[in-house]
Amino acid sequence: MEKNLINQKKKNAGIKGASLVEDKMMIGLGTGSTVFYLVEALAKRVKEENLNITAVATSSRTASLAEELGIKIKQLDEVDHLDLTIDGADEIDANFQGIKGGGAAHTLEKIVATASNRNVWIVDESKMVNELGAFPLPLEVVPYGSSKVYERLDSEGLNPKFRLDSKNQKVLTHYHNYIIDLHLGVIKHPHLLAQWLDHQVGILEHGLFLDTVNTVIVGKSDKAEVIP
Ligand code: 5RP
């Protein structure tokens, strides 16, 4: 029941997100279960309204779903701009800063978000928090020397854990890197942490998405709220 309710909230956010797309737009598509509903709703609009849009996907999961449902997909380097990128998020704080990467796709998501003129996040209301950090912060880490990176993070008191799959194997990203999650509880100074992580050799990208998003769509049980 609870899961159904969360899915309904995600669906409401996804449908509202899809309503922002206009004919002839170049769209970035994020990754995750909320984006699933977005892609479904967008494909429906493309068919029913005969929209001519092109999309760039941040994961092979999203690309396959979109193509299967009839949305034209291109590689990021094949398009000259992106009008709008719509993605999910794991946490969004009161200042609209976010954590992403729960689906291990944050590096591609950050590249696409950075290339986009406008960024919209679609979330169920449980993702809205006062401060970031209860959700473990994902880092994409190059496998070579990753134990050394782990030790450095550990010695800084950042509580790192390699992300493992159901078979206890290290989770691999799109480019076969590892994910280390930082279990921080609370992140008091997201910009300082982001700056430090940006300078750590071996960390390809972290999941702090700061000053990135223009609009957040919060899915509730019976509607979706668009902020601002
Ligand atoms: C993937 C992400 C997702 O957008 C984030 O994990 C939210 O996923 P969901 O919509 O399934 O809750 O950052 O890397």
Side-chain angles (χ1 to χ4, degrees), residues 1-171:
M1 179 57 182
E2 184 53 21
K3 191 146 183 29
N4 286 345
L5 185 57
I6 289 177
N7 284 339
Q8 186 59 49
K9 293 175 182 179
K10 290 182 179 198
K11 190 171 182 176
N12 288 342
I15 292 170
K16 183 61 96 178
S19 76
L20 301 184
V21 175
E22 292 168 16
D23 195 26
K24 299 196 173 51
M25 272 188 169
M26 304 281 220
I27 299 293
L29 294 174
T31 294
S33 53
T34 318
V35 166
F36 170 86
Y37 292 114
L38 163 79
V39 173
E40 213 179 43
L42 187 55
K44 192 161 175 267
R45 284 197 59 211
V46 166
K47 251 188 216 122
E48 289 175 2
E49 299 169 40
N50 207 16
L51 294 184
N52 179 17
I53 60 160
T54 302
V56 164
T58 54
S59 64
S60 43
R61 276 167 283 166
T62 299
S64 322
L65 175 69
E67 277 185 320
E68 200 179 295
L69 296 179
I71 297 175
K72 204 188 317 159
I73 291 287
K74 282 197 175 181
Q75 296 300 312
L76 180 57
D77 286 335
E78 292 175 326
V79 301
D80 60 1
H81 76 285
L82 288 174
D83 296 294
L84 168 68
T85 291
I86 310 177
D87 200 350
D90 297 302
E91 270 186 352
I92 304 174
D93 76 7
N95 300 315
F96 275 23
Q97 312 297 5
I99 289 183
K100 291 182 44 54
H106 61 276
T107 301
L108 271 62
E109 291 170 339
K110 202 178 272 190
I111 292 170
V112 169
T114 303
S116 187
N117 294 340
R118 183 177 174 208
N119 282 284
V120 173
W121 286 343
I122 48 174
V123 293
D124 69 84
E125 58 188 342
S126 71
K127 306 285 184 71
M128 304 304 287
V129 298
N130 284 328
E131 290 179 304
L132 300 177
F135 191 90
L137 176 64
L139 312 177
E140 179 162 356
V141 174
V142 175
Y144 182 83
S146 56
S147 307
K148 299 289 174 273
V149 174
Y150 178 96
E151 285 161 18
R152 206 184 316 148
L153 295 164
D154 197 33
S155 69
E156 291 289 334
L158 295 173
N159 207 11
K161 302 258 180 305
F162 278 101
R163 193 182 296 180
L164 303 177
D165 63 18
S166 54
K167 293 182 187 137
N168 238 17
Q169 301 296 306
K170 289 193 175 89
V171 165

